[in-house]
Amino acid sequence: YSLLSSLFDPHNIGTIASRFITRSRSTIKMQNMSQNDRDLSREERNKLRWATMFGRLESYKRRHGNCLVPEHYPEDPQLGHWVSAQRLKDFNIAKDPMRQLQSVGFSWNVREDLWNNMFRRLETYKAEQGDC
């Protein structure tokens, strides 16, 4: 791979351009932040962003009755990506945020929860109808 990449990009222009773009985006983000936001530490900004996204999740739940935000949710793409990220770090997430997510019925394993829900419905059906 390194041999091929050196043939196509012998001066690492792609790498240099990538670093430049990343730094430029960071600079623009900082310039667009209010002075109050710039004064916050990275940890405080992350906590504030987490709280904001959690509020958006609560709004989603009020509207839809669950926390099953699709990863590619057209109404709020950021929320879909954030929810997916929370599921990926379910065991690495701090206890407080984990409790908050659990308090609103957050599903850590959507596929398993949907399967269990359908199985409960099948059991109810069998109890009522006597067969499957």
Side-chain angles (χ1 to χ4, degrees):
Y1 173 78
S2 60
L3 175 62
L4 282 176
S5 66
S6 67
L7 291 173
F8 290 104
D9 191 7
H11 303 292
N12 288 323
I13 301 300
T15 304
I16 294 167
S18 174
R19 287 182 188 148
F20 172 78
I21 290 168
T22 301
R23 283 191 205 113
S24 297
R25 286 180 180 159
S26 293
T27 302
I28 290 168
K29 278 183 184 178
M30 287 301 283
Q31 289 170 348
N32 290 337
M33 282 184 184
S34 69
Q35 185 60 45
N36 288 341
D37 287 345
R38 271 186 251 144
D39 291 341
L40 296 174
S41 70
R42 172 176 262 167
E43 184 179 339
E44 290 168 324
R45 283 194 306 268
N46 287 341
K47 284 181 181 180
L48 182 61
R49 183 177 187 283
W50 196 95
T52 300
M53 296 307 294
F54 182 75
R56 287 160 61 177
L57 176 63
E58 288 178 310
S59 295
Y60 178 94
K61 181 170 183 181
R62 281 192 295 276
R63 272 194 318 270
H64 299 279
N66 62 53
C67 295
L68 302 174
V69 183
E71 183 174 3
H72 302 287
Y73 181 49
E75 286 182 44
D76 189 347
Q78 258 189 328
L79 179 62
H81 294 297
W82 182 81
V83 165
S84 294
Q86 300 312 298
R87 287 193 181 107
L88 290 175
K89 57 184 177 182
D90 63 348
F91 293 104
N92 296 325
I93 197 167
K95 294 294 179 207
D96 235 17
M98 185 179 276
R99 278 191 216 111
Q100 281 184 277
L101 289 168
Q102 289 169 336
S103 76
V104 294
F106 188 80
S107 175
W108 296 101
N109 187 331
V110 176
R111 189 171 284 169
E112 182 179 318
D113 290 347
L114 290 173
W115 191 94
N116 287 332
N117 183 39
M118 293 303 287
F119 186 75
R120 283 191 296 278
R121 290 176 61 189
L122 177 63
E123 287 178 319
T124 302
Y125 176 86
K126 183 177 181 185
E128 292 172 358
Q129 304 299 320
D131 67 352
C132 295

